[in-house]
């Protein structure tokens, strides 16, 4: 899966930052939010902190058999149901998203991302092929629902963006596909195929502009009759459990990762200089360009003082 993230990130950035994108992919979801402008040492620091402290605590809360919000607890379930997050909609994706949000807010946008009037400027990635290859899918019994959600989101995004923007764009399709995959991860083992289609459809519109019992018993053996969906037995209690999950993850990650990014910013260890950003991090931090699209690489290196 990390290889997929690496290809997705590398294809989405400009050619001058390709090698850097592959290097930072170890940091997973968060790296894309601060790509093309972050010091490599900052990636090493925050990815170690995120994977060594922040993420393990969250995963224990919701995935460990004795986690306070885990649906696998034998007793004292949160709101009588616990949080059903099979493949990490909250545990993985929300943690990475909130961390990335704080990194982007503290670091600021890339040079040229907005014009003088504050309007967004598209900075297109250099390789649609890598973006397409960077998508992932599921295995086993979750494959059907994951594929349906992703494909529905991809098609919805394709036609939705065509209606709104007036053009066809493979990158939009890939973003929709990835959004559908991420949206279904929490319930991929417990929802019916039609629900996966609905999930993908809704996730696509959120990106553009917010279950059967047999499966649940497979995931939670020995616990028949467990609630497994808002309209299929879980009701308001299951919804409340997931609202609690969102709130505690946002609070925990904000306090920890927000503080870390702020400290890195104050120590001048977060963002590279404007000169390095304009030249590209492949040239300044990784020994040269991934693609030889200029005959003056040695001259540019000399001007930047890069050996």
């Amino acid at each position: 899966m990390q290889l997929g993230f690496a290809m997705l990130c590398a294809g989405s950035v400009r050619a001058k930052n390709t090698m850097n994108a592959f290097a930072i992919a170890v940091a997973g979801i968060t790296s894309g939010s601060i790509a093309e402008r972050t010091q490599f040492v900052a990636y090493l620091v925050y990815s170690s902190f995120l994977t060594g402290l922040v993420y393990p605590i969250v995963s224990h809360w919701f995935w460990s058999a004795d986690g306070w919000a885990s649906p696998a607890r034998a007793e004292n379930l949160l709101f009588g149901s616990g949080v059903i997050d099979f493949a990490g909609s909250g545990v993985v994706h929300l943690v990475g998203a909130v961390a990335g949000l704080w990194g982007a807010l503290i670091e600021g946008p890339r040079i040229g991302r907005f014009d003088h009037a504050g309007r967004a400027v598209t900075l297109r990635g250099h390789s649609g092929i890598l973006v397409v290859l960077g998508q992932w899918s599921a295995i086993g019994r979750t494959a059907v629902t994951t594929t349906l959600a992703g494909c529905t989101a991809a098609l919805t995004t394709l036609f939705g963006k065509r209606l709104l923007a007036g053009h066809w764009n493979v990158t939009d399709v890939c973003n929709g596909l990835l959004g559908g995959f991420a949206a279904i991860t929490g319930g991929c083992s417990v929802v019916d195929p039609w629900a996966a289609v609905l999930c993908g459809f809704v996730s696509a519109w959120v990106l553009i502009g917010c279950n059967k019992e047999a499966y649940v018993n497979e995931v939670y053996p020995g616990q028949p009759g467990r609630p497994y969906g808002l309209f299929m037995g879980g009701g308001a209690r299951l919804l409340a459990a997931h609202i609690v999950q969102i709130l505690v993850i946002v609070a925990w990650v904000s306090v920890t990762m927000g503080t870390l990014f702020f400290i890195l910013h104050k120590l001048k260890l977060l963002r590279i200089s404007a000169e390095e950003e304009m030249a590209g991090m492949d040239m300044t931090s990784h020994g040269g360009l991934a693609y030889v699209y200029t005959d003056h690489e040695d001259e540019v290196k000399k001007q930047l003082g890069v050996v």
Side-chain angles (χ1 to χ4, degrees):
M1 189 170 69
Q2 285 303 109
L3 178 59
F5 278 128
M7 289 189 289
L8 175 65
C9 189
S12 299
V13 302
R14 290 162 290 182
K16 62 184 180 180
N17 292 303
T18 305
M19 289 196 293
N20 177 254
F22 274 110
I24 66 176
V26 294
I29 299 168
T30 306
S31 62
S33 303
I34 53 177
E36 296 196 291
R37 61 197 186 278
T38 305
Q39 295 186 45
F40 190 67
V41 66
Y43 286 109
L44 298 178
V45 172
Y46 92 74
S47 61
S48 298
F49 186 73
L50 181 64
T51 58
L53 175 68
V54 180
Y55 170 74
I57 290 178
V58 175
S59 62
H60 175 79
W61 288 344
F62 302 105
W63 283 349
S64 173
D66 60 350
W68 62 268
S70 172
R73 290 176 64 94
E75 55 185 3
N76 298 322
L77 291 165
L78 179 64
F79 295 113
S81 67
V83 174
I84 299 177
D85 191 357
F86 180 76
S89 287
V91 174
V92 177
H93 296 103
L94 184 58
V95 169
V98 175
L101 174 63
W102 280 107
L105 286 174
I106 293 173
E107 192 166 13
R110 291 173 287 176
I111 295 174
R113 184 65 180 86
F114 298 94
D115 62 18
H116 295 296
R119 294 179 297 238
V121 176
T122 301
L123 300 178
R124 296 193 180 279
H126 79 285
S127 176
I129 295 175
L130 284 175
V131 173
V132 172
L133 291 175
Q135 311 304 311
W136 83 86
S137 190
I139 59 174
R141 63 172 177 257
T142 65
V144 173
T145 53
T146 302
T147 302
L148 284 173
C151 292
T152 301
L155 290 173
T156 303
T157 306
L158 173 66
F159 290 103
K161 293 288 284 187
R162 175 65 176 83
L163 292 173
L164 295 174
H167 60 264
W168 308 99
N169 191 321
V170 67
T171 303
D172 291 335
V173 177
C174 292
N175 285 336
L177 181 65
L178 192 63
F181 284 162
I184 196 64
T185 50
C188 62
S189 66
V190 298
V191 299
D192 271 347
W194 67 263
V197 171
L198 180 61
C199 180
F201 180 79
V202 173
S203 71
W205 286 109
V206 170
L207 176 67
I208 294 174
C210 150
N211 292 325
K212 279 297 185 186
E213 189 170 0
Y215 294 147
V216 179
N217 289 335
E218 286 184 49
V219 180
Y220 307 111
Q223 302 177 58
R226 292 290 304 279
Y228 49 90
L230 178 60
F231 301 112
M232 294 180 165
R237 289 189 175 187
L238 182 61
L239 176 62
H242 280 270
I243 291 175
V244 170
Q245 180 196 32
I246 293 170
L247 293 176
V248 296
I249 288 178
V250 170
W252 168 246
V253 179
S254 295
V255 170
T256 52
M257 295 303 297
T259 302
L260 178 65
F261 280 123
F262 181 76
I263 292 173
L264 290 173
H265 172 68
K266 287 300 182 181
L267 294 176
K268 301 188 183 303
L269 295 175
L270 186 58
R271 185 158 188 156
I272 60 176
S273 67
E275 292 77 14
E276 291 177 298
E277 187 172 345
M278 294 301 293
M281 295 185 67
D282 284 359
M283 183 74 77
T284 60
S285 300
H286 300 281
L289 300 171
Y291 305 106
V292 182
Y293 58 86
T294 174
D295 295 329
H296 305 291
E297 181 175 342
D298 291 337
E299 182 180 339
V300 175
K301 283 186 176 182
K302 184 177 180 180
Q303 291 175 352
L304 294 170
V306 177
V307 179

